[in-house]
Amino acid sequence: MGKQTGAHIVWDWNGTLFHDNDAIIGATNAAFAELGLAPITMEQYRSLYCVPVPKFYERLLGRLPTDAEWEVMDETFHRYYAEHRVACGLTAGATELLAGWRSAGRSQSILSMYVHDELVPLVRGFGIEAHFIRVDGRTGPSGGSKAEHMVRHLASLAGVDPARTVVIGDAADDAVAARHVGARAVLYTGGSHGRASLEAVGVPVVDTLVEAVAEAERLAA
């Protein structure tokens, strides 16, 4: 990585660096079909989606899914997503931004709630793994918050100061996780949440990753 200047970005993957909206909405509707729910549009998804994911399903069902329903929906979602993610690519400009941040002597990492053993080869396949000092995906059950994962992630990063760390993600939960460890957050409107729901969180909200990195640089200065 070369000499680090102290500023660090923790990137989210799905909906942030990885532009997988089409696969996400398709997988969501495939999961809904298992319970006889009508499909929803991307706009509806972005206005209703929340973490933990069972609460998202509650907004549509009018109740929390049973354990058996959750298991079926979760399995269906991940099976469909795995089949369709191959048609998705990195968000426009992401590769150049990652290279630029690294060449400036700053560090960056990925923390995703996508399963770790599938995330790592996916990142590697895009040829961007060398830009990160660590890539962490989810290793436990799905459906929870990112906050506790963020604690473990930052604890594993030698020399990274939470006060000079900025989390860039597309969901309110990214800001919650950042706050949980004393870091800052910038939220990007190109993924799972619409601008209105992101602005309610009280952190900077941007429409491009270029703006996100510029804001991260300002916040971590």
Side-chain angles (χ1 to χ4, degrees):
M1 293 292 298
K3 184 179 182 296
Q4 295 182 20
T5 61
H8 181 83
I9 290 175
V10 178
W11 289 95
D12 175 54
W13 179 248
N14 303 96
T16 304
L17 287 176
F18 189 43
H19 187 65
D20 59 351
N21 289 356
D22 288 345
I24 289 285
I25 191 64
T28 298
N29 284 329
F32 285 176
E34 292 291 334
L35 266 64
L37 291 171
I40 62 172
T41 64
M42 192 66 206
E43 183 179 357
Q44 290 171 312
Y45 177 91
R46 283 159 55 82
S47 67
L48 293 170
Y49 181 74
C50 63
V51 173
V53 178
K55 296 291 290 183
F56 169 51
Y57 291 147
E58 182 182 27
R59 292 181 173 185
L60 293 144
L61 281 170
R63 59 174 175 80
L64 281 170
T66 66
D67 289 346
E69 287 172 335
W70 165 251
E71 188 174 334
V72 169
M73 294 174 79
D74 192 49
E75 191 279 330
T76 300
F77 177 95
H78 285 98
R79 184 181 68 248
Y80 183 101
Y81 179 84
E83 293 171 357
H84 290 78
R85 74 179 189 201
V86 295
C88 302
L90 296 177
T91 300
T95 302
E96 293 78 10
L97 288 168
L98 295 172
W101 186 265
R102 181 190 181 199
S103 67
R106 305 183 182 104
S107 61
Q108 55 199 329
S109 59
I110 292 177
L111 176 62
S112 172
M113 296 299 279
Y114 191 48
V115 64
H116 182 78
D117 289 345
E118 296 187 33
L119 172 68
V120 172
L122 190 55
V123 172
R124 187 172 297 144
F126 282 113
I128 58 173
E129 186 181 23
H131 295 313
F132 306 105
I133 59 173
R134 189 174 181 92
V135 176
D136 280 337
R138 175 178 51 78
T139 55
S142 62
S145 171
K146 188 178 269 189
E148 291 306 319
H149 296 269
M150 187 68 73
V151 172
R152 292 190 293 272
H153 182 72
L154 283 190
S156 70
L157 302 178
V160 171
D161 179 4
R164 297 202 63 198
T165 296
V166 179
V167 177
I168 297 179
D170 68 318
D173 192 51
D174 291 300
V176 171
R179 192 175 298 125
H180 189 66
V181 296
R184 312 291 285 276
V186 178
L187 298 180
Y188 164 62
T189 63
S192 63
H193 282 41
R195 174 174 276 277
S197 60
L198 294 180
E199 288 179 337
V201 181
V203 302
V205 176
V206 298
D207 295 320
T208 69
L209 293 189
V210 171
E211 294 172 281
V213 170
E215 192 67 18
E217 189 169 8
R218 183 186 70 81
L219 291 172

